[in-house]
Amino acid sequence: MNNLLAKRVLSNDTSDLNEIFKNSANPANISFAGGFPDSQLFPAEGLQQAYQNAIQTDGQSIFQYASTQGLPALREKLAQRMASHADVAVSANNIMLTQGGQQAIDLVAKLLLNHGDAMVVEGPTYMGALAAFDTYEPTYYEVPVEDDGMNLRMLRKTLQAHPEIKLIYTIPDFHNPTGTTMSIRKRKALVALANQYNVIVLEDSPYRDLRYSGVTLPAIKHFDTEGRVIFISSFSKILSPALRTGWLVADDQLMTPLCGLKSAIDVQSPNVTLAAIDQYLAHHNIDQHIATINAAYRVKRDAMLTAMDQYFPATVSYTRPAGGFFIWVTLPAGIDAQQLLTDVVLPQDHVAYVPANCQFASRQVKNAFRLNFTSLDPATITTGIARLGKRLTAICSTPKPAVQLS
Amino acid sequence: MNNLLAKRVLSNDTSDLNEIFKNSANPANISFAGGFPDSQLFPAEGLQQAYQNAIQTDGQSIFQYASTQGLPALREKLAQRMASHADVAVSANNIMLTQGGQQAIDLVAKLLLNHGDAMVVEGPTYMGALAAFDTYEPTYYEVPVEDDGMNLRMLRKTLQAHPEIKLIYTIPDFHNPTGTTMSIRKRKALVALANQYNVIVLEDSPYRDLRYSGVTLPAIKHFDTEGRVIFISSFSKILSPALRTGWLVADDQLMTPLCGLKSAIDVQSPNVTLAAIDQYLAHHNIDQHIATINAAYRVKRDAMLTAMDQYFPATVSYTRPAGGFFIWVTLPAGIDAQQLLTDVVLPQDHVAYVPANCQFASRQVKNAFRLNFTSLDPATITTGIARLGKRLTAICSTPKPAVQLS
């Protein structure tokens, strides 16, 4: 029956990645692969109370169909939060509640991309965003990420060479997978480029509140002068991913068709969940909760970096993120991180990470991988990094590496 | 910025329909337009308890990321329900939990339809399904619905003439919008045609448990011999639409790519909601709840049919559904139901319905409309139908109709 499947499905082979995640879920392994929050930090009691309050307050009506754009009271609160936490002045009418940040990405792709349409992604980038974009079969142009965000000289050249580009996808805050943050200068310059070349910027910022040092920067959307920036964030990392609730900020001319698409995709998000989140925000100080999370994640990040400093060989480099979930590790050229993982690190060291290739639209970079530091406790992090470090030391000092050069 | 939108968005103008729904939501009007369950019938207490039980039972872990296919325990219960209530033998591995039935429709469209691919829809059909399909820009072939389901002679001719057809979308049980049910003979014959012409059948059955007379028929999926039928249903009509939880039944070869697409669209459905539904099913007799709903909806349907028998002129015909949410009304040829609605019925009679044209892929049929009987109380139904009937009597007896002939 394969002859009946759409081309977007046939070209989308993620079986390698599925295999890695399946193996990394084995409790015998120490997995740095998933981008999971720490289960111990979910405010379970507060959320349980919030569900109760929501149903108690709204009664029968909470269970009826509601608006596609999502619960107005929660959008009002998010509008205030966008002002106080992202320096973005926006009304509730310009906010849509979505099924996590992921659905917001899918919606924007659906809004803009015809088969073959051109877009820019960072290299590397969030593999889930690539999975969403892939189903619209775009033409990708990849721009490298530097310590202070996207390489804008390369971006300008790319936009000049390809005036057909419609969309730039970026993760400015504690970038997935590199952990780097885009500078204010680059945020401004990115908006100027978007204006000049008539493109939409999709700013994906699920980690922006998870800062462990330094000060929060204004969102790229703050600098938007022409309604070209669509901002996305999510409750997944600051409250719970099982709520599947994110939000999207867009100007009117884009919000109207986005609501039409959301309606066709799933009618609306679950009203009970949205009302529960609204109650949680009304009766709990989420910023205090985020401060608690951040204190715990700072310890975990430090544990990972300390262990890496101790156990990783000098020929291996890595980022030192000021927040977020991830550290990006670059191996000496010629080492294939995926092969290393499946041949040695997973079966012998019982450690998992996400290899580079599936995090590049080009699938070309192989000598790097992503580590997550939020889901495990500091002692387990140290144990896993020690094992991984010893393996990397052995690999990097072997004149003829045990794994095949790519 | 319109030049940046995808073609699927630009071609999708639903502003007329949005206007109708906006006006019909005005509490001064009696609206038969929406397909809403009766808010008074939601088992609010049971669901409140179910959320509590779910969080109490699973603790912190309920708030973590979970499987894309959805909570295994709930899928197990649905597998049993598919056997007992739809005569379909299926394992939990062949069930996926979705954001209402709507997301299941979108997923199947995304699985199969390249731009321009051919598919069959019933005429009329569920307008939300058309909205979902529209975004994949298919070529539609429309087959009329009769009292016992799709006209299979016309379907066969259509499949013969267009061997490129990939998909047949049908609503066999208490069809939206006509309320008719496909006979057993036609269910069997439809599967035989699908086998012969190598197409997938999408069986959308959100109303099948809402039967007010007669006996439940086996699903089309029951007769499936080659894994060609994808079955969809939903908790929206039997429990609550605000849970946004439906399910999809498909054989392995289709389930695997469907999970890949679901992951790219929204990662997974909200685990807290799925666990709450699972707890509801564990601790409450949902069939008893459905019997309560059905008793109430039977009274409403009877109130509407009785009023129609009394107030509608003889030149207007309508269906007498044995279940579901809707009655379909056919006006004398030449009367445009949409124009009648916006010019007269809504502003003067303060009554709303959904006109035919947006419920046909061809948008060609104008002299018909859909009435919903579940959301209002019997007295209001009678009042609204009396007003509508008087207007129709006046229109149909006017030699030169007040509304323009199309």
Side-chain angles (χ1 to χ4, degrees):
Chain A
M1 220 159 299
N2 261 1
N3 65 333
L4 294 176
L5 301 186
K7 286 194 284 280
R8 71 177 68 86
V9 175
L10 295 173
S11 65
N12 180 28
D13 181 13
T14 56
S15 50
D16 277 11
L17 197 64
N18 292 343
E19 201 57 29
I20 290 169
F21 276 100
K22 220 177 74 189
N23 282 319
S24 72
N26 180 341
N29 297 326
I30 295 179
S31 177
F32 301 123
F36 288 12
D38 183 342
S39 288
Q40 298 309 314
L41 297 172
F42 299 133
E45 247 176 74
L47 287 169
Q48 180 169 23
Q49 194 59 52
Y51 275 100
Q52 288 304 91
N53 288 347
I55 298 174
Q56 209 81 53
T57 307
D58 292 350
Q60 298 288 133
S61 69
I62 200 176
F63 294 106
Q64 188 55 279
Y65 282 109
S67 97
T68 295
Q69 204 168 337
L71 191 71
L74 179 54
R75 288 190 283 114
E76 290 289 350
K77 289 189 181 62
L78 285 171
Q80 288 169 23
R81 193 168 177 84
M82 287 304 298
S84 57
H85 286 66
D87 247 329
V88 174
V90 66
S91 98
N93 290 336
N94 296 107
I95 295 180
M96 178 199 275
L97 297 164
T98 58
Q99 291 302 110
Q102 186 70 32
Q103 186 184 50
I105 298 171
D106 182 58
L107 277 167
V108 173
K110 199 161 189 170
L111 178 75
L112 300 174
L113 299 174
N114 299 306
H115 179 281
D117 275 357
M119 67 174 294
V120 168
V121 290
E122 293 167 324
T125 190
Y126 166 46
M127 57 192 161
L130 289 177
F133 294 133
D134 280 352
T135 64
Y136 299 92
E137 303 166 279
T139 302
Y140 289 114
Y141 294 95
E142 202 166 78
V143 172
V145 178
E146 301 170 311
D147 273 351
D148 61 347
M150 220 189 259
N151 180 324
L152 291 195
R153 266 179 308 117
M154 291 227 10
L155 176 63
R156 177 186 292 277
K157 274 191 193 164
T158 305
L159 293 170
Q160 269 169 348
H162 302 284
E164 74 278 15
I165 287 171
K166 286 179 147 185
L167 173 65
I168 300 169
Y169 173 69
T170 180
I171 309 153
D173 301 297
F174 320 121
H175 179 260
N176 178 357
T178 66
T180 57
T181 292
M182 187 183 280
S183 66
I184 290 200
R185 184 186 65 76
K186 283 195 173 177
R187 289 173 197 237
K188 283 184 199 164
L190 177 59
V191 170
L193 283 173
N195 288 345
Q196 184 180 348
Y197 291 97
N198 187 29
V199 298
I200 305 280
V201 174
L202 178 56
E203 175 181 24
D204 185 12
S205 189
Y207 307 103
R208 66 176 288 113
D209 290 337
L210 304 180
R211 179 176 275 281
Y212 318 134
S213 51
V215 291
T216 301
L217 303 184
I220 297 169
K221 179 76 184 159
H222 167 80
F223 302 103
D224 186 15
T225 51
E226 300 182 357
R228 294 188 174 280
V229 180
I230 301 175
F231 174 95
I232 295 175
S233 193
S234 167
F235 287 106
S236 291
K237 315 306 195 252
I238 56 175
L239 214 49
S240 150
L243 304 173
R244 305 305 312 126
T245 303
W247 66 94
L248 175 156
V249 180
D251 288 47
D252 292 345
Q253 56 188 332
L254 300 177
M255 184 56 80
T256 304
L258 282 167
C259 285
L261 289 174
K262 165 86 175 159
S263 174
I265 287 171
D266 64 4
V267 185
Q268 59 207 222
S269 286
N271 203 41
V272 183
T273 310
L274 303 183
I277 296 174
D278 184 57
Q279 286 289 329
Y280 180 88
L281 295 178
H283 297 291
H284 295 80
N285 183 343
I286 192 174
D287 287 316
Q288 200 173 312
H289 171 66
I290 292 170
T292 306
I293 300 179
N294 283 352
Y297 289 168
R298 185 183 297 116
V299 170
K300 291 166 187 251
R301 177 203 60 179
D302 292 347
M304 186 169 273
L305 285 172
T306 303
M308 290 169 84
D309 292 345
Q310 181 174 355
Y311 294 107
F312 276 25
T315 48
V316 168
S317 63
Y318 41 91
T319 56
R320 306 191 82 88
F325 268 37
F326 304 112
I327 294 172
W328 183 250
V329 179
T330 305
L331 303 173
I335 298 182
D336 181 330
Q338 172 150 358
Q339 209 178 342
L340 180 65
L341 178 70
T342 52
D343 290 356
V344 188
V345 171
L346 199 49
Q348 292 179 36
D349 305 320
H350 304 289
V351 168
Y353 53 68
V354 180
N357 57 338
C358 55
Q359 299 173 84
F360 285 87
S362 62
R363 307 283 195 266
Q364 290 307 305
V365 176
K366 297 191 191 301
N367 63 320
F369 58 84
R370 185 188 85 174
L371 294 173
N372 165 265
F373 58 79
T374 53
S375 62
L376 301 171
D377 63 275
T380 309
I381 289 173
T382 305
T383 306
I385 292 296
R387 284 195 217 151
L388 184 57
K390 282 171 198 158
R391 177 66 61 189
L392 294 178
T393 305
I395 295 292
C396 295
S397 66
T398 310
K400 188 164 167 293
V403 293
Q404 191 194 318
L405 297 177
S406 62
Chain B
M1 220 159 301
N2 263 1
N3 63 334
L4 295 176
L5 302 186
K7 286 194 285 280
R8 69 177 70 82
V9 176
L10 296 172
S11 65
N12 182 27
D13 180 14
T14 57
S15 50
D16 277 12
L17 197 62
N18 292 344
E19 202 55 30
I20 289 169
F21 275 99
K22 219 177 74 187
N23 282 319
S24 72
N26 180 339
N29 297 326
I30 295 179
S31 177
F32 302 122
F36 288 13
D38 183 341
S39 288
Q40 298 309 313
L41 296 173
F42 298 134
E45 249 176 75
L47 286 169
Q48 181 170 21
Q49 193 59 54
Y51 274 100
Q52 288 303 91
N53 289 347
I55 298 174
Q56 209 81 52
T57 308
D58 292 350
Q60 298 287 134
S61 69
I62 199 175
F63 294 105
Q64 188 54 280
Y65 283 108
S67 96
T68 295
Q69 205 169 338
L71 191 72
L74 180 53
R75 288 190 283 114
E76 290 289 349
K77 288 189 181 63
L78 285 171
Q80 288 168 23
R81 194 168 177 83
M82 287 303 299
S84 57
H85 286 66
D87 248 329
V88 175
V90 67
S91 100
N93 290 336
N94 295 107
I95 296 179
M96 177 198 276
L97 297 164
T98 59
Q99 292 300 112
Q102 186 71 30
Q103 187 184 52
I105 297 172
D106 182 58
L107 278 167
V108 172
K110 200 161 190 170
L111 177 75
L112 300 175
L113 299 175
N114 299 306
H115 179 280
D117 275 358
M119 67 173 294
V120 168
V121 290
E122 293 166 324
T125 190
Y126 166 46
M127 58 192 161
L130 290 177
F133 294 133
D134 280 354
T135 64
Y136 299 92
E137 303 168 279
T139 303
Y140 290 114
Y141 294 96
E142 202 165 79
V143 172
V145 177
E146 301 171 311
D147 273 351
D148 61 347
M150 217 188 261
N151 180 326
L152 291 195
R153 265 177 309 117
M154 292 226 10
L155 175 62
R156 176 186 294 277
K157 275 191 193 164
T158 305
L159 294 171
Q160 268 169 350
H162 303 284
E164 73 278 16
I165 288 171
K166 285 179 147 188
L167 173 64
I168 300 168
Y169 172 69
T170 180
I171 309 152
D173 301 297
F174 318 122
H175 179 262
N176 179 356
T178 66
T180 57
T181 291
M182 186 183 280
S183 65
I184 290 201
R185 183 185 65 76
K186 282 194 173 178
R187 289 173 196 236
K188 284 184 200 167
L190 177 59
V191 170
L193 282 172
N195 288 345
Q196 184 180 349
Y197 290 97
N198 186 29
V199 299
I200 304 281
V201 174
L202 177 55
E203 176 180 23
D204 185 10
S205 189
Y207 306 103
R208 64 176 290 112
D209 290 337
L210 304 180
R211 178 176 276 280
Y212 317 133
S213 51
V215 291
T216 301
L217 303 184
I220 298 169
K221 179 75 182 158
H222 168 80
F223 301 103
D224 186 14
T225 51
E226 300 183 358
R228 295 186 172 281
V229 179
I230 301 175
F231 174 95
I232 295 174
S233 194
S234 167
F235 286 106
S236 291
K237 313 308 194 248
I238 56 175
L239 215 47
S240 150
L243 305 171
R244 307 302 313 125
T245 303
W247 67 94
L248 175 156
V249 179
D251 288 47
D252 291 345
Q253 56 188 332
L254 300 176
M255 184 56 80
T256 304
L258 282 167
C259 285
L261 290 173
K262 164 86 176 159
S263 174
I265 288 171
D266 64 5
V267 185
Q268 59 209 220
S269 285
N271 203 41
V272 183
T273 310
L274 303 184
I277 296 173
D278 185 56
Q279 285 290 328
Y280 181 87
L281 295 179
H283 297 291
H284 296 80
N285 184 343
I286 193 176
D287 287 315
Q288 201 174 311
H289 171 66
I290 292 171
T292 307
I293 300 178
N294 283 351
Y297 288 168
R298 184 183 298 116
V299 170
K300 291 165 186 251
R301 177 203 59 181
D302 291 347
M304 186 171 273
L305 285 173
T306 303
M308 291 169 84
D309 292 345
Q310 181 175 356
Y311 295 107
F312 276 26
T315 49
V316 169
S317 64
Y318 41 91
T319 56
R320 306 190 83 88
F325 267 38
F326 304 111
I327 294 172
W328 183 250
V329 179
T330 305
L331 303 172
I335 298 182
D336 181 330
Q338 173 150 357
Q339 208 176 344
L340 180 65
L341 179 70
T342 52
D343 290 356
V344 188
V345 170
L346 199 49
Q348 293 180 35
D349 305 318
H350 305 288
V351 169
Y353 52 69
V354 181
N357 55 338
C358 54
Q359 299 173 84
F360 285 85
S362 62
R363 307 284 195 265
Q364 290 307 306
V365 175
K366 298 191 191 302
N367 63 319
F369 58 83
R370 185 189 84 174
L371 294 173
N372 166 265
F373 56 79
T374 55
S375 61
L376 300 172
D377 63 275
T380 310
I381 289 173
T382 305
T383 307
I385 292 296
R387 284 195 218 151
L388 184 56
K390 281 170 198 157
R391 176 65 60 187
L392 295 178
T393 304
I395 295 292
C396 295
S397 67
T398 311
K400 188 163 166 293
V403 293
Q404 189 193 320
L405 296 178
S406 61

